Amino acid sequence: MSDLPFGFGPSDPDDESRRSGSGGAGGAGGFGFGLPGMGGLPGGAGGPGGFDMGQLGQMLTQLGQMLSQSSGPGADGPVNYKLATQMAHQQLGEDGKKAPTGEQQRAAEESVRLAELWLEDATTLPSGASQVAVWSPAQWIDTTMPTWQRLCDPVAQRVAGAWVEGLPEEARQMAGPMLGMISQVGGMAFGSQLGAGLAQLAKEVLTSSDVGLPLGPEGTAALLPAAIATFTEGLDRPAGEVLVFLAAREAAHQRLFGHVPWLRQRLLATVEEFARGIHIDTSRMEELAREVDPTNPASLQELMSSGMFEPQTTESQKAALRRLETLLALVEGWVDVVVADAVGDRLPGAVALRETLRRRRASGGPAEQTFATLVGLELRPRRLRDAADLWRRLTDERGIEGRDAVWAHPDLMPTADDLDDPSAFVGERRSVAPSEEGAAPKSDQGFTDLDDPLARLEAEMKAEQEARERGSESGESGGEPDGGKGS
């Protein structure tokens, strides 16, 4: 993890910008220290001699006002999503709130319609978009917030619970009802950081699936004209060509998310699994807490920025991260190959656009960095090229049907090891029957049998059921003569 989630303080004591108590996503320490409109704790780095009761009173007054203003629906829980939305809209400004024009809506609809027509020959998966939308950055925030809530809640709950559990028993008893207020302040701090991050992300994403996750509503292919216009400025290609290419990528994502029933849940669940694995050394927290001088607020601020809340990466998190990176790479690699086949020679700049987006996704642009700060992990498909190579080989060897059939069940999907040796996976013989949890799929069937894997699986289950029924009927018919003899 290159960034620490939700305002964790840096371990570097020389990072004065973090210790200054400035607000925003990079504010000092998190947990309410560095909320918007509030400086650091009174006294700051000046130590006890700089303590000012008037400043403390002013800070508490501001805190009370913020708690009152940010209450209401969406303010409960580990993250204050009401505050997050308000802050994001505020940072976007008026330009970010301007609704797309009717002309932009028509251009998006025509581009998606054309892309869908071209995709018909490149994949067996049918169209997954029932409607086409154009969003402003503010609309993107409002529409995707439910998914962000699902992604961020596990992280915030684990972090908030860990530091409260780490408090000494005496401290918890003394805090009493104050823990509730502290939790509310923590929710505001998390919401503040989330809002700042989403405001940045909203200006950069090109489509609803640009970060690799299905953030928007099912069946909605969405484009963001403002970000697309900015993206196009740096390219030597016509705006209409860029729009059609991005529409093809969005439509391909929607086909995958719409017709692979397990994929959406698997992606989001893996992020949640990563969050649940967050571990904070509470014994270290207790040790450091004993060193705090309650009469010196500066010592508490220094403690919050000392790295004591820095989470430790566990083995379960590493495993979840590997699975997530592999699945994201497979999604992006499939889209990359399918779109390349669909647009073909129809778009003169397709090759250059494909390479630009490959680099943008694989190198981890601002969008991926923002997500790393928000959720604590990176969404870079580091092995996008390896995954695209695997899907290309599979297409050449088994055809479009054989390639797309692999999505029928998660047990059929390539693993990280398969990305290391795609030729072995392409020639591998696998069974469509799902394996036991954690076990590798059996290797007794070839891809030539996977024209319809689910139908084949259902047929096998039906055959087993009929065999059991025949055995049961045979036993019943054989029992009656025995009973007659006995009577």
Side-chain angles (χ1 to χ4, degrees), residues 5-7 30-32 35 78-80 84 155-157 159-160 163 185-195:
F6 289 117
F31 302 111
L35 289 170
V79 181
N80 189 323
V155 179
Q157 287 173 348
V159 170
W163 77 262
V185 173
M188 291 176 60
F190 293 168
S192 170
Q193 184 170 352
L194 177 62

Side-chain angles (χ1 to χ4, degrees), residues 58-372:
Q58 182 181 9
M59 186 190 75
L60 293 176
T61 300
Q62 292 176 344
L63 177 59
Q65 292 174 347
M66 293 175 63
L67 289 173
S68 175
Q69 294 172 358
S70 63
S71 61
D76 298 329
V79 181
N80 189 323
Y81 292 102
K82 180 180 179 182
L83 177 62
T85 303
Q86 291 173 347
M87 282 204 63
H89 280 240
Q90 180 181 356
Q91 293 193 23
L92 286 175
E94 293 304 317
D95 289 341
K97 300 175 185 178
K98 290 182 180 178
T101 65
E103 181 179 354
Q104 289 173 326
Q105 176 70 40
R106 288 190 294 274
E109 291 176 349
E110 292 174 0
S111 298
V112 172
R113 188 180 304 114
L114 180 59
E116 293 281 26
L117 181 63
W118 291 349
L119 286 169
E120 286 298 316
D121 296 330
T123 176
T124 60
L125 298 181
S127 175
S130 57
Q131 62 177 333
V132 178
V134 286
W135 293 338
S136 67
Q139 289 172 325
W140 177 86
I141 289 172
D142 294 338
T143 307
T144 62
M145 187 60 78
T147 305
W148 287 113
Q149 182 170 351
R150 177 176 177 182
L151 293 173
C152 295
D153 267 355
V155 179
Q157 287 173 348
R158 186 69 193 97
V159 170
W163 77 262
V164 171
E165 293 167 5
L167 289 175
E169 184 61 31
E170 301 87 10
R172 274 185 278 179
Q173 292 178 355
M174 291 177 61
M178 289 291 291
L179 287 178
M181 189 185 76
I182 294 174
S183 176
Q184 190 175 0
V185 173
M188 291 176 60
F190 293 168
S192 170
Q193 184 170 352
L194 177 62
L198 290 183
Q200 177 187 350
L201 196 56
K203 299 175 184 178
E204 301 165 356
V205 292
L206 306 173
T207 67
S208 71
S209 57
D210 200 19
V211 299
L213 294 175
L215 297 176
E218 293 187 37
T220 299
L223 306 175
L224 282 78
I228 292 175
T230 302
F231 173 74
T232 305
E233 290 175 0
L235 305 173
D236 187 22
R237 303 306 311 168
E241 183 178 296
V242 177
L243 184 61
V244 172
F245 188 84
L246 294 175
R249 287 183 55 84
E250 173 70 358
H253 275 103
Q254 293 300 327
R255 288 180 181 235
L256 202 55
F257 292 138
H259 297 287
V260 179
W262 56 268
L263 180 58
R264 179 183 294 262
Q265 175 63 25
R266 177 64 64 91
L267 280 168
L268 298 179
T270 306
V271 176
E272 294 171 344
E273 180 184 353
F274 176 90
R276 286 194 298 269
I278 288 178
H279 172 72
I280 298 176
D281 188 354
T282 56
S283 62
R284 175 61 177 157
M285 291 170 62
E286 290 187 21
E287 179 183 343
L288 291 173
R290 296 190 191 100
E291 301 174 3
V292 175
D293 180 1
T295 64
N296 180 12
S299 68
L300 178 58
Q301 183 173 0
E302 293 173 3
L303 179 66
M304 295 298 294
S305 61
S306 66
M308 65 175 289
F309 293 108
E310 184 172 329
Q312 307 298 316
T313 303
T314 63
E315 289 302 319
S316 62
Q317 281 184 296
K318 292 177 181 178
L321 183 57
R322 285 193 296 269
R323 290 195 297 273
L324 180 62
E325 288 180 341
T326 300
L327 190 53
L328 282 172
L330 291 171
V331 169
E332 293 300 305
W334 184 88
V335 169
D336 181 81
V337 169
V338 168
V339 170
D341 289 347
V343 301
D345 297 329
R346 297 180 172 110
L347 294 180
V351 175
L353 288 171
R354 180 189 186 193
E355 184 61 26
T356 298
L357 288 173
R358 272 185 167 190
R359 292 178 179 177
R360 184 175 183 266
R361 285 293 286 125
S363 63
E368 284 75 19
Q369 295 170 9
T370 299
F371 189 91

Side-chain angles (χ1 to χ4, degrees), residues 434-446:
S435 63
E436 297 180 0
E437 185 68 23
K442 297 178 182 179
S443 302
D444 57 1
Q445 298 291 338

